[in-house]
Structure formats: structure tokens, C-alpha cells
């Protein structure tokens, strides 16, 4: 049986640097160190063998990629750079150079594709951790040589809950205690919406209508006062009397989710109440300074007493009408005054 002749020499060529061991026949060695040519990329090394009789083999080829450049994670964006999302599942867009693997971490759920090195992909879905607020995602990449890039970071605000209006109130701009929704033409009224959780940064508008007097304010922009408060300043000059001024309002968040509240009814009453009074049952004279005042009005809610009377808690200021609740729920229509 013939024995295959052993190689006695080798010849190394290809994408290697020319030195004393390459591009010439040298004595055969099982292991040989060579230097690849300078440029990064795929390299091919060719080797021929020959025996003592100078018989040459066909070239044998092997290849390897030279990758000395550091990888770079150039850009990371969440949901194409949007500032807000209403979903915990978001899409990452990753731009990188010289990357074969990537590592994703941050405010994201731990899965087999996060907090682990995985094959690089320019697009990847991840799930944000629960709870509203800012969420950060961090990405790193590495190359064939496992050289890692510097991390890049992106953030987005998770807003799972749409805004909610807790209440809408009205008040006189000059007298905040006048807030019973009953007004007269000429008053300046502040209409104010308050959100749950003091959510600011919303946009909104309101509209006031009255079918009785054919009034329509049109859409009016609400002012963001901060701390979840939104207001509109309503000038009631020249408004006609009506009991059906209906206020409809809505707020919209950055994700274009709308929230409304039940309409509020305002009353514009320009007719003064009619009333009459008597002192000591219409007596013409008295010998004491303490007298009894009787008042009668069908539509008054407050009364103001002035004149030749002593200034006390019931005079020279507005007080409720009827003025005095009695035991058992009856209401007095008279009071004692001092002249």
C-alpha cells in the first residue's frame, strides 16, 4: 500500500503581509503566525504544500474577517421620537455602525431579548415597565471582536390614563364668594375646570349657549393656570336675561384623548327683586330705639339694611334673606334693629 508523501514545504499567500514566511517556499510547520493586510474586512489566506520530490498541491483557502473598528450606536429613538405613548409596547429604532449584537436595558420588562446580548436589529419591540411617567431605554452594540460601543439613551413618557375633569365651577371675578351660578349682565365670570391628579399641559375649550335668547359664545380657548386648573374669563356685558346658559367644556391631552364633563347651567337674571318693609307695623312714632323690621319679598335671596340704624352684624352689609331661621325650620320675616 502506497503511503501519501508528507509535505516538506509550504507556500503562504493571499491577504497577508509579505515577510520572511510568506510569498516564498519555507520549511513545513504545523503552526505559523502571519499578519493580515491592513484594511478591515474579509481576508483570504491561501496555502500550497509540496513534498521532497517538489510535487505541489492545489492551493487551500481559508477566510477570516478583520474587524478592528469600534462599533458605534449612532441613534436610538422610541416610537419614532414621540414624546408620549399610551401603550406599554413600543418600537425602538436603532441606528448603528459596525454592529453585530446589541444589548437593551432600562425601564423595560426583562425578557429573553432584553438585558441580554442579542443579534443586532435596526428595529425592536419592547415592553415598558408599568406606571405612568418618563421611561428610559438604553442601548449598546458590539462588533465581531466583542468590542462594545458607548451607550445611547432615549426616553418617552408613558401616559396610560386619559385626563379626567373632577369639577367645573363659576365665580365672580371680583368676588370669589359669589359662586352660585346666578349672575346679572355686566359681571365678569371666571369658569374654571379642575382635573384629577392636577394634570397640566392639556389644551381645551368651552362653549356657552342659550336657546332662549339665541346666544352662542363659539369655541373659547381655556387658559392653563397650572396645577391642573383651566379657566375662561366670561364677560357678560349686555347679555340678555335667561335661565338656560349652558356651558359645555372639554380637555384634550397630547395623545389627542378628549374628556368632557356634564354641562353646567348658568342663570343671567337682570330683574331686581321686589320687596317691601315695615317698621313697628307701620307705627309713626316710637319712644325706644329698638324697633322691629318686617321684610317681605318673593324672590330675594339677600337683603341690605342701611339708613338711620346702628351699624351691627345685620346692617350695612348683605345678609341672607330671609334673615333668621327659627327652631323647627320656620323662617322669620322680621328682626329687631337699633336706631
Amino acid at each position: 500500500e502506497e503511503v501519501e508523501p508528507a509535505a516538506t514545504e509550504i507556500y503562504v499567500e493571499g491577504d497577508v503581509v509579505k515577510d520572511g514566511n510568506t510569498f516564498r517556499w519555507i520549511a513545513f510547520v504545523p503552526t505559523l503566525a502571519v499578519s493580515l493586510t491592513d484594511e478591515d474586512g474579509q481576508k483570504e489566506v491561501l496555502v500550497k504544500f509540496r513534498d521532497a520530490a517538489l510535487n505541489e498541491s492545489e492551493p487551500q483557502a481559508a477566510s477570516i474577517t478583520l474587524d478592528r473598528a469600534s462599533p458605534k450606536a449612532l441613534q436610538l429613538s422610541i416610537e419614532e421620537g414621540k414624546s408620549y405613548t399610551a401603550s406599554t409596547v413600543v418600537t425602538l429604532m436603532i441606528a448603528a455602525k459596525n454592529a453585530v449584537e446589541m444589548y437593551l436595558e432600562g425601564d423595560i420588562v426583562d425578557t429573553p431579548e432584553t438585558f441580554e446580548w442579542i443579534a443586532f436589529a435596526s428595529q425592536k419591540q419592547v415592553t415598558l415597565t408599568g406606571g405612568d411617567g418618563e421611561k428610559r431605554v438604553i442601548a449598546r452594540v458590539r462588533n465581531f471582536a466583542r468590542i462594545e460601543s458607548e451607550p445611547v439613551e432615549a426616553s418617552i413618557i408613558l401616559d396610560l390614563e386619559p385626563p379626567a375633569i373632577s369639577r367645573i365651577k363659576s365665580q365672580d371675578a371680583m368676588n370669589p364668594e359669589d359662586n352660585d351660578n346666578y349672575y346679572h349682565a355686566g359681571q365678569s365670570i371666571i369658569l374654571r375646570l379642575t382635573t384629577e391628579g392636577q394634570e397640566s399641559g392639556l389644551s381645551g375649550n368651552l362653549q356657552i349657549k342659550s336657546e332662549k335668547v339665541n346666544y352662542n359664545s363659539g369655541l373659547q380657548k381655556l387658559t392653563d393656570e397650572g396645577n391642573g386648573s383651566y379657566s375662561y374669563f366670561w364677560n357678560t356685558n349686555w347679555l340678555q336675561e335667561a335661565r338656560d346658559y349652558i356651558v359645555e367644556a372639554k380637555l384634550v391631552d397630547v395623545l389627542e384623548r378628549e374628556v368632557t364633563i356634564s354641562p353646567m347651567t348658568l342663570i343671567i337674571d337682570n330683574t331686581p327683586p321686589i320687596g317691601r318693609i315695615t317698621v313697628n307695623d307701620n307705627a309713626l312714632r316710637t319712644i325706644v330705639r329698638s324697633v322691629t323690621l318686617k321684610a317681605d319679598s318673593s324672590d330675594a335671596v339677600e337683603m341690605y339694611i342701611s339708613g338711620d340704624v346702628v351699624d351691627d352684624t345685620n346692617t350695612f352689609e348683605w345678609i341672607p334673606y330671609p334673615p333668621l331661621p327659627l327652631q323647627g325650620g320656620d323662617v322669620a320675616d322680621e328682626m329687631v334693629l337699633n336706631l
Side-chain angles (χ1 to χ4, degrees):
E1 182 178 351
E2 288 189 19
V3 177
E4 184 174 334
T8 59
E9 293 178 293
I10 59 173
Y11 188 98
V12 180
E13 59 184 334
D15 297 321
V16 293
V17 174
K18 187 175 182 180
D19 58 22
N21 291 325
T22 60
F23 297 96
R24 61 190 293 264
W25 287 102
I26 63 172
F28 173 81
V29 288
T31 303
L32 181 66
V34 297
S35 297
L36 301 174
T37 52
D38 190 55
E39 299 82 4
D40 281 6
Q42 189 174 30
K43 305 295 183 177
E44 185 178 56
V45 181
L46 302 172
V47 178
K48 293 185 293 183
F49 303 89
R50 71 182 180 185
D51 57 18
L54 301 182
N55 295 310
E56 294 183 14
S57 71
E58 292 294 323
Q60 303 297 307
S63 63
I64 191 171
T65 298
L66 177 60
D67 185 3
R68 295 168 300 173
S70 297
K72 292 183 179 179
L74 302 177
Q75 187 176 12
L76 171 67
S77 66
I78 308 173
E79 290 294 296
E80 299 181 336
K82 293 179 181 176
S83 299
Y84 288 80
T85 179
S87 172
T88 56
V89 178
V90 295
T91 299
L92 307 180
M93 300 296 292
I94 308 145
K97 183 179 180 181
N98 202 33
V100 295
E101 290 183 305
M102 63 184 183
Y103 190 97
L104 303 174
E105 58 185 326
D107 299 319
I108 54 179
V109 175
D110 192 351
T111 72
E113 294 195 324
T114 59
F115 300 93
E116 301 264 355
W117 285 103
I118 61 173
F120 175 78
S122 60
Q123 183 172 310
K124 178 66 67 175
Q125 272 195 345
V126 296
T127 301
L128 302 174
T129 53
D132 284 359
E134 184 181 32
K135 305 295 180 178
R136 296 165 55 248
V137 180
I138 302 164
R140 289 177 285 149
V141 297
R142 68 184 182 186
N143 61 9
F144 282 108
R146 298 199 168 187
I147 300 173
E148 295 183 15
S149 71
E150 293 295 322
V152 291
E153 181 179 317
S155 64
I156 195 168
I157 297 174
L158 177 62
D159 188 359
L160 296 173
E161 297 296 328
I165 302 173
S166 59
R167 65 180 180 179
I168 180 171
K169 292 183 65 176
S170 71
Q171 68 177 59
D172 184 282
M174 302 301 295
N175 179 17
E177 294 183 0
D178 184 2
N179 55 16
D180 57 3
N181 296 345
Y182 282 78
Y183 305 104
H184 60 79
Q187 286 183 275
S188 295
I189 309 303
I190 296 176
L191 303 172
R192 180 172 287 113
L193 281 71
T194 305
T195 59
E196 295 181 4
Q198 297 185 339
E199 185 169 357
S200 298
L202 308 177
S203 61
N205 57 60
L206 61 72
Q207 190 168 14
I208 309 169
K209 298 179 182 179
S210 168
E211 290 187 2
K212 180 179 179 182
V213 296
N214 195 29
Y215 174 83
N216 188 338
S217 69
L219 289 177
Q220 302 296 321
K221 184 178 179 180
L222 292 168
T223 299
D224 185 352
E225 298 179 319
N227 298 320
S229 182
Y230 301 82
S231 65
Y232 171 68
F233 190 89
W234 187 34
N235 188 336
T236 65
N237 283 342
W238 318 115
L239 284 186
Q240 298 182 60
E241 182 172 288
R243 304 181 70 84
D244 68 340
Y245 284 92
I246 307 299
V247 181
E248 296 178 334
K250 72 175 181 180
L251 293 172
V252 184
D253 67 8
V254 294
L255 295 169
E256 299 183 354
R257 295 176 297 188
E258 294 185 2
V259 59
T260 60
I261 193 168
S262 298
M264 177 176 67
T265 301
L266 303 177
I267 296 173
I268 298 297
D269 183 356
N270 298 329
T271 304
I274 298 174
R276 63 186 184 89
I277 62 170
T278 60
V279 177
N280 282 0
D281 291 325
N282 286 325
L284 296 179
R285 295 178 183 276
T286 179
I287 61 173
V288 294
R289 294 174 56 204
S290 178
V291 296
T292 300
L293 172 72
K294 289 185 178 181
D296 180 30
S297 177
S298 62
D299 54 356
V301 294
E302 291 181 303
M303 60 188 297
Y304 188 98
I305 302 171
S306 59
D308 297 324
V309 293
V310 173
D311 188 353
D312 60 23
T313 56
N314 290 324
T315 59
F316 297 98
E317 63 180 79
W318 287 102
I319 61 173
Y321 176 86
L324 181 65
L326 299 178
Q327 188 174 4
D330 292 336
V331 176
D333 59 354
E334 64 181 43
M335 65 171 53
V336 175
L337 300 176
N338 291 316
L339 302 176

